[in-house]
Amino acid sequence: MRARGMEMAGKDCVKVAVRVRPFNKRERDAGSRCIISMTSNNISIQDPRNPQNSRTFTFDYTYWSHSGFSRNKDGLFVSEETGGRYADQASVFLDLGQGILDNALQGYNATLLAYGQTGSGKSYSMVGYGPNKGLIPTLCERLFQSVRSMQDSRQCQVFFSMLEIYNEQVVDLLSKTSRSAGGLRVREDQQRGFYVEGLRRVPCDSAVQVEQLMEQGTRTRTTAATHMNANSSRSHMLIIIQLKQIFSKDCITKQSNIYLVDLAGSERQRSSGSEADRLKEGTAINLSLTTLGNVISALADMTLGKKVVHIPYRDSVLTKLLQSALGGNSRTVMIATLSPADICYEESLSTLRYAERAKRIQNKAVVNESPTERLMKELKAENAKLLLRLSRMGQEGRKADDETKELRRLLTHNELQIRAIQTLWEQHLQEALKDWETQYATITQERRMMQMHPYIMNINEDAQLSGVVKLFIQEGEWDIGLADNSPRSLCIRGLGIQEKHAVFSNQQRRVSITPVSGSKAIVNGVPVSKRIELQHLDRLVLGSNGTYLFIGFPSERSVEDWSRYDYDYFQSELAAAEGFHIQSLYDDQGHRPHQPDPSLLAVFYDYIKLMPMVTEANQMSEELKKGVEFKLEIKNLAMSDSKGHDLEKDIAVRVTSVESKQVWMWSKAKFVNRKFLMEEVYQQQVVGGEGADRAPLPRDRDPFWDPLEPLHLGSAHLWLQSLAFRIPLEEQVEVVGPEGTEEAILQAQLVPCSPTGLWVTFLHLNVLKELNISGAVIFIYCRPLGEDDILIDPSELLGKRLDFQLVLDQCCGLRWVKEARNRGVQIGFQVFDCPQPLYTPAVWHNVNLLLDHRVQFTALRTSQELFSYLQSNALVLELWGLQEGCSELVSCMDGVKMTQEDSIIIDKISPSEHSTAETRGSDLSSSLRTLHQDLEQLRNANAALTKENSALREQLNSARNGVENNRGRQERRGSLRPSCDAEFAKALKVFYHSMTSVRGQLQRLRRHRPSEEADLLGLRLFVDEHTYLLKDFSEQLEQCVTTLKQDVAVIVRRKREKSGIWS
């Protein structure tokens, strides 16, 4: 129908509302903090990592639904205080839903979009839960109330459609026929714009009928998600309500389309250069949401006056269908839903930015009215022209198949429109009522069965889809699986489901399940392979991820709330059965249970969220014979940075080739992307049926394969504090893997040295008058490092040159190479301000390898920054694993400066510091010249005084002995304290040196562990060895402390003796 009528004055901007939900169970368990604040129409979000950093946004409507509410006796959530800030469902509808309804009744197209991350409250706002009805059901109730009140002045016809867009395929959720391959097609018409060809339009005359249709669509959506192995949170759901108002007196028809859109979850994946996926552009799963963002950005730029060449409506199915809602003929409202938790900061901020761009979009809404009779005449005239063109083409014998097909399609389309106008509304309604009665009978039968028999019901990740599928277990035995050719069979679909998967038995009011050989079945988190009796509220997992809750006989049911058995509960139970639960994470990190760590809880919930996806990926790999296995791992669980601070935990997926033992590590974002690509391949080659494309994929397009890259196996810490004291350090350090496993033992040294690589000592001499030399002379000579080279006060390094060598001697017990001998390793490290990491040469096929790798570093003038770095940091030695066909890591020397002795310069002097050093050098030279002149004057004065002294020498002979004795007393008193300080310093040096070996013994004790395969005899031997090592350690420690005590006692005794003599 052509849209005509008087255009509104000005343009309508998209109205944007933001709603903040309460904390969910996961966020409460995490001890989350609310980072959202709201005043009037302003909403602020605070960065949890930097509380001083906050962003404020302004929207048309803001709704605080986070706190300040309670449940009344009817089950409704209402504000605790009269006039409180809590926004309930009714207030949201009053602002948003009522405006949508009013616009539709006036003849405008209207659109309501719900946007936000999965679990942020989109479905609750749109659909609602229980008595707290959302925007869609409330809008439908009010619509039919208005229709009944206006039936005297006009005839109103309401049509209802419901569809889903998943992976760029359109699914009719109300279709009576089976789903067509590739979904329904989206076509374009000059008058209607984009539309879905073949989409079922169901006439409705009551809100109850709409509610039943929504339930039917939800059931179809659940079944399709299970069959297609699809994730409902990644799909868009569109409800289209067409309101046709016929004014008989004026021969005018107004037609409005109401689009109610629940968009897919807007999760913002963490991304970095290292996480880039070579197949990222190959998936269509995110195409609709990405394109929607591009369309909104382009329209927002256009509003700001920027030149926009192209608006990409045609790039996705969703944006085609929403073209009128965004920048076109519609009045549009967007509701963005937020989680207020600090662990969702990135996603919430992204949602707010998205909504801020959307509010700038301007639409041009017009009233859609047209003369009914005129439209029919135009269609008939157009059909006559088409028939004439077809007859001429036939007479001329032209063979233009494509043109002929298109003309016939247009002819058929116009005839359908004429027939639709001519057909009486009552006939359409009667047909729909018959379908509705059939559906109602089915629902009534199901409710009666629920009160008679035990059953299993589906549990879905989307709470709106849980409990939709119910399979009743009546008396006798029932086969469950793919087959549905028997009257005593229960048909389920999904990954890993066999033709006959298991047998349910209902005998003497006892229900049991017996898995068929080779099928996967889990009850309450535990895999089962033989008959097991079921109890009320037992949890079942059939196949890879078919989750069901068993509901016992009516007599066994109580008032217990079943809602706690949600999808997360199932996955947490499976994780706990594998030994992974939140308490184990706390134990590994040393946290107490009553002090929850939000980062650990976030990792835990990521883990249980990815568990079913990993299970499904393994099942697809098995069925497609890809020969790869997927396993979840926690990245950085036991790893720390150079300061010893824990690294941020994250989830990674380990991918292993069963045959070649090749290994890949995928980030969470990369795995999720690949999982959707795997689904596409699986649909094409397994589910597609007889005509499916089963040709093998080229390797570069295979989502199960990746080029080999070096893998980060773990890291070791070599603390640098000894360099600040100029003490050589030799240690055996443990290379710890991401999950705390011991990957290898690395022997390394840090050795202070001279610029040429030799150990160094300094000798400082005073001015020698006899040699007539001014200033100081530094004599450098080479010898093994001794106690005199150790610095008691490390601050003496400041401003001086520091040279040291990193020596990597050997690496033993490489677990990476033990698993497959065709592997190799490299070690990487990065010192202070080196621009790029450095790597050792690759070593292959050796479990215990000799490295003998030396690198020398030089600080030309030790700065305060380097000094602090040495005092508080460790050198992180990273172990990298290599595989055949994998490129080796190469040290990049760009930006690296070297000394003449080929030592790498660290602690580089900035240009300002360099000019300051030159100025100081010139000042020092002038000071030395002045001192030289003063020294010459002193020599002349000394010559004159020598003559005078010789005359007085005879007079002083009588008092010479007394003077000498007095001078001796003063010298001894003056030298008493310096000698004691020197002795104390020497004692401390010896103690520090001795403690280095004691620390090495402590490291050996920490690494000494029993073998996992050790029997009782082996454990006894381990205890004996450990006892010996512990005894040796205690003896060494006691000897060091005893020696220090003795040295100190001797020094104190000497000091007292001397003090007593000269007191």
Side-chain angles (χ1 to χ4, degrees):
M1 180 177 291
R2 188 182 302 277
R4 297 196 340 161
M6 185 176 293
E7 189 169 348
M8 299 171 55
K11 299 179 180 179
D12 288 329
C13 286
V14 172
K15 304 295 183 184
V16 177
V18 175
R19 191 178 192 186
V20 182
R21 65 157 172 77
F23 286 142
N24 59 24
K25 182 178 182 300
R26 181 185 69 162
E27 292 159 352
R28 288 194 301 270
D29 291 345
S32 295
R33 182 172 60 87
C34 179
I35 57 171
I36 301 291
S37 59
M38 193 178 291
T39 56
S40 184
N41 287 351
N42 298 323
I43 186 167
S44 299
I45 182 169
Q46 185 183 65
D47 187 344
R49 295 180 297 271
N50 181 13
Q52 304 301 321
N53 181 23
S54 65
R55 290 284 307 276
T56 301
F57 302 84
T58 303
F59 298 102
D60 300 286
Y61 305 97
T62 55
Y63 300 108
W64 181 262
S65 302
H66 173 63
S67 59
F69 63 92
S70 60
R71 188 195 296 262
N72 66 12
K73 61 180 181 179
D74 298 324
L76 294 172
F77 294 113
V78 295
S79 178
E80 290 179 337
E81 301 176 359
T82 304
R85 64 187 304 204
Y86 175 74
D88 59 7
Q89 297 283 62
S91 59
V92 173
F93 175 80
L94 191 62
D95 289 339
L96 306 183
Q98 189 63 48
I100 293 288
L101 178 59
D102 292 343
N103 286 324
L105 292 173
Q106 293 173 32
Y108 295 103
N109 292 332
T111 304
L112 176 62
L113 302 168
Y115 181 86
Q117 71 178 105
T118 301
S120 62
K122 296 193 308 296
S123 297
Y124 179 78
S125 294
M126 294 292 281
V127 180
Y129 185 78
N132 296 280
K133 294 183 179 181
L135 288 165
I136 296 175
T138 307
L139 187 146
C140 292
E141 287 181 3
R142 300 292 177 84
L143 172 63
F144 286 104
Q145 290 175 7
S146 300
V147 167
R148 285 191 292 271
S149 65
M150 298 183 302
Q151 59 186 357
D152 294 338
S153 61
R154 71 198 75 174
Q155 180 188 5
C156 293
Q157 301 175 2
V158 179
F159 295 89
F160 183 89
S161 299
M162 190 173 181
L163 61 90
E164 179 183 47
I165 301 174
Y166 181 82
N167 205 16
E168 286 302 283
Q169 295 184 10
V170 178
V171 180
D172 186 352
L173 297 178
L174 302 180
S175 176
K176 296 180 180 180
T177 60
S178 59
R179 180 180 181 274
S180 59
L184 301 180
R185 299 187 65 179
V186 176
R187 295 191 178 276
E188 186 177 14
D189 181 81
Q190 290 183 353
Q191 297 173 343
R192 298 169 60 189
F194 288 105
Y195 68 96
V196 180
E197 186 179 48
L199 180 67
R200 188 179 177 209
R201 297 165 63 243
V202 182
C204 300
D205 68 344
S206 69
V208 176
Q209 191 177 355
V210 170
E211 185 178 345
Q212 296 295 339
L213 288 170
M214 286 181 63
E215 188 174 334
Q216 176 188 342
T218 303
R219 183 184 299 271
T220 304
R221 191 181 184 196
T222 305
T223 306
T226 304
H227 178 63
M228 295 296 295
N229 189 37
N231 187 337
S232 63
S233 67
R234 311 291 290 185
S235 66
H236 313 282
M237 185 189 72
L238 278 75
I239 289 177
I240 305 171
I241 300 174
Q242 291 181 334
L243 172 62
K244 189 174 183 180
Q245 303 175 80
I246 303 172
F247 298 85
S248 302
K249 294 181 180 180
D250 301 326
C251 293
I252 294 294
T253 299
K254 290 183 179 181
Q255 181 166 310
S256 308
N257 292 327
I258 305 173
Y259 286 89
L260 306 171
V261 187
D262 188 354
L263 294 170
S266 61
E267 283 71 34
R268 182 178 180 272
Q269 298 288 353
R270 295 176 187 173
S271 59
S272 67
S274 62
E275 293 184 351
D277 190 352
R278 63 185 178 86
L279 296 180
K280 186 174 182 180
E281 300 303 324
T283 179
I285 197 70
N286 291 319
L287 181 60
S288 288
L289 211 55
T290 302
T291 307
L292 179 61
N294 294 338
V295 167
I296 289 175
S297 295
L299 291 170
D301 290 343
M302 183 183 295
T303 304
L304 294 175
K306 297 181 181 179
K307 183 178 181 181
V308 177
V309 178
H310 172 64
I311 298 175
Y313 289 115
R314 298 175 180 271
D315 289 359
S316 76
V317 169
L318 178 69
T319 47
K320 286 179 181 177
L321 296 178
L322 295 181
Q323 182 175 4
S324 63
L326 300 170
N329 177 23
S330 176
R331 287 181 169 173
T332 303
V333 174
M334 172 186 283
I335 179 169
T337 54
L338 299 179
S339 163
D342 49 5
I343 60 176
C344 298
Y345 168 74
E346 296 289 345
E347 289 81 0
S348 297
L349 179 60
S350 177
T351 299
L352 288 170
R353 287 171 173 165
Y354 201 96
E356 186 179 41
R357 291 198 303 270
K359 73 178 185 180
R360 299 179 187 146
I361 298 174
Q362 293 182 343
N363 290 347
K364 301 176 182 178
V366 297
V367 174
N368 302 295
E369 62 179 18
S370 62
T372 309
E373 297 299 326
R374 180 181 174 185
L375 175 62
M376 290 183 61
K377 290 179 180 179
E378 288 178 353
L379 290 171
K380 289 178 179 179
E382 188 175 350
N383 273 8
K385 293 179 181 178
L386 291 173
L387 287 171
L388 181 61
R389 287 180 62 188
L390 284 172
S391 62
R392 287 178 179 174
M393 290 176 65
Q395 292 173 2
E396 296 172 2
R398 293 171 57 188
K399 296 181 179 180
D401 291 341
D402 292 342
E403 187 176 357
T404 303
K405 288 180 180 179
E406 181 63 20
L407 290 174
R408 291 190 182 279
R409 189 190 69 78
L410 290 173
L411 182 64
T412 304
H413 175 66
N414 287 346
E415 288 177 350
L416 287 173
Q417 281 193 282
I418 294 172
R419 195 178 307 148
I421 293 173
Q422 292 174 335
T423 304
L424 295 177
W425 160 251
E426 287 77 8
Q427 293 178 0
H428 284 297
L429 190 58
Q430 288 302 319
E431 293 175 2
L433 285 174
K434 289 180 182 178
D435 292 338
W436 180 76
E437 288 172 359
T438 304
Q439 292 290 333
Y440 183 76
T442 303
I443 293 170
T444 304
Q445 173 69 10
E446 181 182 272
R447 289 174 179 170
R448 187 166 60 249
M449 295 280 284
M450 290 170 61
Q451 302 302 318
M452 297 171 59
H453 304 288
Y455 60 92
I456 60 173
M457 68 177 186
N458 76 302
I459 301 296
N460 195 281
E461 183 180 7
D462 186 346
Q464 296 289 334
L465 304 186
S466 291
V468 174
V469 176
K470 299 178 181 69
L471 302 174
F472 296 95
I473 307 169
Q474 301 180 54
E475 189 78 19
E477 291 190 346
W478 295 81
D479 297 339
I480 187 168
L482 295 173
D484 58 355
N485 50 9
S486 168
R488 301 192 68 82
S489 62
L490 303 172
C491 183
I492 60 173
R493 300 187 180 277
L495 271 174
I497 301 296
Q498 299 185 10
E499 287 292 317
K500 182 180 178 181
H501 197 85
V503 177
F504 279 107
S505 175
N506 183 351
Q507 304 287 347
Q508 299 178 353
R509 298 185 66 81
R510 292 178 180 271
V511 178
S512 62
I513 182 174
T514 306
V516 174
S517 177
S519 65
K520 297 178 182 177
I522 297 174
V523 177
N524 299 335
V526 181
V528 294
S529 57
K530 57 184 180 181
R531 181 181 178 276
I532 183 173
E533 186 173 334
L534 298 178
Q535 304 296 326
H536 177 54
L537 298 182
D538 275 351
R539 283 78 59 201
L540 281 68
V541 180
L542 303 178
S544 294
N545 198 32
T547 48
Y548 298 89
L549 184 66
F550 173 71
I551 307 300
F553 288 91
S555 59
E556 299 172 349
R557 304 170 196 171
S558 63
V559 294
E560 182 181 2
D561 184 11
W562 301 350
S563 63
R564 72 186 186 99
Y565 298 105
D566 58 5
Y567 192 77
D568 278 355
Y569 187 97
F570 275 67
Q571 301 307 324
S572 300
E573 188 173 56
L574 291 172
E578 295 179 3
F580 181 85
H581 46 81
I582 193 63
Q583 186 59 49
S584 66
L585 282 179
Y586 286 140
D587 292 342
D588 290 340
Q589 294 294 304
H591 291 284
R592 288 177 289 176
H594 63 277
Q595 291 180 331
D597 182 350
S599 64
L600 286 179
L601 276 162
V603 167
F604 174 72
Y605 283 105
D606 276 345
Y607 189 97
I608 64 173
K609 182 178 180 180
L610 289 181
M611 271 184 61
M613 299 181 71
V614 169
T615 304
E616 292 166 1
N618 280 321
Q619 183 66 38
M620 287 188 283
S621 172
E622 181 180 335
E623 294 189 27
L624 294 172
K625 296 180 173 56
K626 293 295 183 178
V628 294
E629 291 180 349
F630 302 88
K631 180 186 176 185
L632 281 174
E633 290 189 358
I634 302 180
K635 187 178 177 183
N636 301 331
L637 180 62
M639 301 183 72
S640 55
D641 60 14
S642 64
K643 289 183 176 291
H645 301 153
D646 290 344
L647 292 175
E648 185 179 357
K649 279 59 174 185
D650 202 358
I651 296 294
V653 179
R654 187 182 184 92
V655 187
T656 306
S657 171
V658 178
E659 182 178 353
S660 66
K661 304 298 182 185
Q662 292 175 332
V663 180
W664 298 264
M665 290 298 294
W666 289 353
S667 67
K668 179 177 65 176
K670 184 173 185 176
F671 170 73
V672 170
N673 184 58
R674 290 298 181 90
K675 164 63 166 49
F676 293 123
L677 289 171
M678 294 172 196
E679 289 176 10
E680 293 180 9
V681 174
Y682 183 81
Q683 296 299 323
Q684 293 169 4
Q685 299 192 8
V686 176
V687 182
E690 295 293 332
D693 181 11
R694 301 180 186 275
L697 280 175
R699 173 172 276 193
D700 60 345
R701 291 176 51 203
D702 189 349
F704 293 87
W705 178 86
D706 241 4
L708 291 171
E709 296 178 348
L711 297 182
H712 183 247
L713 304 178
S715 60
H717 286 60
L718 197 62
W719 291 96
L720 301 170
Q721 191 175 14
S722 63
L723 289 177
F725 293 88
R726 299 189 50 77
I727 297 176
L729 178 67
E730 181 177 0
E731 281 208 27
Q732 286 186 342
V733 290
E734 180 182 7
V735 180
V736 179
E739 294 193 312
T741 55
E742 182 183 290
E743 297 294 331
I745 299 296
L746 181 63
Q747 185 171 337
Q749 299 181 57
L750 285 172
V751 186
C753 63
S754 71
T756 57
L758 300 173
W759 292 338
V760 64
T761 186
F762 294 91
L763 178 64
H764 183 273
L765 299 179
N766 291 325
V767 177
L768 302 178
K769 296 179 182 179
E770 294 85 342
L771 299 177
N772 195 25
I773 298 177
S774 63
V777 178
I778 300 177
F779 292 90
I780 301 177
Y781 62 94
C782 300
R783 63 173 177 80
L785 188 66
E787 295 175 0
D788 293 338
D789 300 289
I790 299 174
L791 299 176
I792 297 300
D793 183 4
S795 62
E796 294 178 25
L797 274 179
L798 289 171
K800 295 181 181 178
R801 175 166 177 153
L802 172 66
D803 295 271
F804 66 92
Q805 285 189 356
L806 170 65
V807 183
L808 302 177
D809 293 318
Q810 57 183 352
C811 192
C812 304
L814 281 162
R815 194 162 71 96
W816 170 251
V817 183
K818 283 180 186 177
E819 295 173 352
R821 290 281 180 164
N822 62 345
R823 294 173 175 174
V825 295
Q826 286 181 271
I827 296 174
F829 48 89
Q830 192 169 1
V831 179
F832 193 47
D833 58 358
C834 280
Q836 299 292 337
L838 306 175
Y839 299 97
T840 63
V843 183
W844 296 81
H845 321 303
N846 201 336
V847 176
N848 302 304
L849 51 93
L850 184 64
L851 294 170
D852 194 21
H853 183 75
R854 296 170 179 265
V855 183
Q856 184 165 326
F857 298 92
T858 297
L860 297 176
R861 188 165 59 84
T862 304
S863 66
Q864 182 62 50
E865 290 78 12
L866 176 59
F867 178 73
S868 300
Y869 173 79
L870 296 177
Q871 290 276 54
S872 59
N873 286 62
L875 179 61
V876 181
L877 304 171
E878 296 185 328
L879 182 65
W880 292 87
L882 305 176
Q883 306 169 77
E884 286 188 347
C886 167
S887 300
E888 297 179 2
L889 294 166
V890 180
S891 301
C892 179
M893 304 303 288
D894 293 344
V896 176
K897 295 184 179 181
M898 311 286 288
T899 65
Q900 294 179 351
E901 298 83 9
D902 291 331
S903 176
I904 296 175
I905 298 176
I906 60 173
D907 199 17
K908 301 175 183 64
I909 301 175
S910 64
S912 60
E913 290 176 333
H914 185 71
S915 61
T916 303
E918 290 180 347
T919 303
R920 288 176 179 173
S922 61
D923 292 343
L924 181 61
S925 299
S926 61
S927 299
L928 285 174
R929 285 193 297 269
T930 303
L931 287 172
H932 184 72
Q933 294 172 0
D934 293 342
L935 184 60
E936 289 296 328
Q937 294 176 2
L938 289 172
R939 282 175 179 167
N940 296 331
N942 186 48
L945 290 171
T946 300
K947 295 179 180 179
E948 185 179 352
N949 285 345
S950 61
L952 297 172
R953 191 172 291 139
E954 293 180 358
Q955 300 176 14
L956 295 175
N957 285 336
S958 60
R960 184 174 182 181
N961 292 333
V963 172
E964 288 178 353
N965 289 337
N966 186 46
R967 187 182 301 157
R969 293 190 190 97
Q970 292 175 351
E971 288 176 353
R972 281 191 289 272
R973 287 177 178 173
S975 64
L976 177 59
R977 183 168 183 85
S979 65
C980 290
D981 290 346
E983 289 176 355
F984 267 122
K986 184 176 180 180
L988 287 173
K989 291 177 184 178
V990 172
F991 176 72
Y992 196 98
H993 215 53
S994 302
M995 286 301 294
T996 303
S997 61
V998 173
R999 190 181 180 201
Q1001 182 67 5
L1002 179 61
Q1003 293 288 343
R1004 285 191 287 274
L1005 265 172
R1006 291 176 60 192
R1007 291 192 300 270
H1008 189 239
R1009 299 172 185 170
S1011 171
E1012 294 180 359
E1013 295 82 14
D1015 54 8
L1016 183 59
L1017 179 61
L1019 290 174
R1020 286 176 178 172
L1021 291 173
F1022 166 77
V1023 171
D1024 292 340
E1025 292 174 2
H1026 203 73
T1027 303
Y1028 173 77
L1029 289 173
L1030 190 60
K1031 181 181 178 182
D1032 187 30
F1033 169 73
S1034 62
E1035 288 176 352
Q1036 288 189 34
L1037 181 60
E1038 185 177 357
Q1039 183 179 359
C1040 290
V1041 175
T1042 302
T1043 303
L1044 179 63
K1045 287 180 178 179
Q1046 291 173 352
D1047 291 344
V1048 172
V1050 170
I1051 295 168
V1052 171
R1053 187 172 62 252
R1054 289 176 182 172
K1055 182 176 179 180
R1056 286 176 178 174
E1057 290 174 355
K1058 293 179 180 179
S1059 299
I1061 294 172
W1062 300 102
S1063 57

